[in-house]
């Protein structure tokens, strides 16, 4: 397993943008999944976006068209570009990485088997 460290969170007004970064080190599997999850106070953790080692991406319906996940394999950095932020995007954001178990990345598999960072807070005010 590897290590992950998030950065880039902060406070922004609705409609603004933020870019989260996750510096990774270690081995996560020959075919890996990487993703961003978030958890708001009193709510369950939810998957926001995932990316496979081949570049295939997945997004939660609530962020489609607003967020973009990307990976820089040369620098071992996972990023999440967040645009048109809404107050309901307020949460602690975590990055995760782990082996791909099935034919495609799965949020439950990544939650259960992945390595996690400690999170970075995103606060969106109205």
């Amino acid at each position: 397993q590897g290590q992950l460290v998030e950065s880039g969170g902060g406070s922004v007004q609705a409609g603004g943008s933020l870019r989260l970064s996750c510096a990774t080190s270690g081995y996560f599997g020959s075919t890996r999944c990487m993703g961003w999850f978030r958890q708001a106070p009193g709510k369950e953790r939810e998957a926001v976006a995932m990316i496979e080692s081949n570049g295939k991406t997945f997004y939660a319906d609530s962020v489609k068209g607003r967020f973009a996940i990307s990976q820089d394999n040369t620098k071992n950095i996972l990023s999440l570009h967040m645009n048109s932020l809404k107050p309901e995007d307020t949460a602690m954001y975590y990055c995760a990485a782990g082996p791909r178990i099935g034919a495609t990345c799965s949020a439950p598999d990544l939650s259960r088997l992945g390595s996690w960072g400690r999170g970075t807070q995103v606060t969106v005010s109205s």
Side-chain angles (χ1 to χ4, degrees):
Q1 290 189 335
Q3 294 185 329
L4 304 95
V5 179
E6 303 95 337
S7 61
S11 297
V12 65
Q13 289 191 328
S17 299
L18 281 174
R19 176 185 174 183
L20 305 183
S21 295
C22 176
T24 70
S25 61
Y27 181 71
F28 301 104
S30 58
T31 52
R32 69 179 186 279
C33 298
M34 303 183 77
W36 289 93
F37 291 71
R38 67 186 180 187
Q39 187 167 21
K43 295 187 177 181
E44 292 187 355
R45 185 173 65 193
E46 62 174 347
V48 175
M50 294 185 294
I51 186 167
E52 295 188 7
S53 50
N54 61 12
K56 186 176 181 180
T57 58
F58 308 85
Y59 294 96
D61 287 343
S62 59
V63 305
K64 279 181 181 177
R66 299 189 299 122
F67 290 12
I69 189 171
S70 62
Q71 57 187 357
D72 184 334
N73 293 323
T74 61
K75 297 180 180 179
N76 296 321
I77 293 177
L78 177 71
S79 298
L80 185 68
H81 298 257
M82 306 186 294
N83 299 312
S84 302
L85 283 161
K86 304 176 181 180
E88 50 264 42
D89 295 318
T90 294
M92 184 71 79
Y93 284 70
Y94 301 89
C95 64
R100 192 185 78 193
I101 304 302
T104 59
C105 286
S106 154
D109 285 343
L110 187 54
S111 287
R112 181 169 54 91
L113 300 173
S115 298
W116 292 83
R118 292 189 174 185
T120 185
Q121 177 67 38
V122 171
T123 302
V124 184
S125 58
S126 57

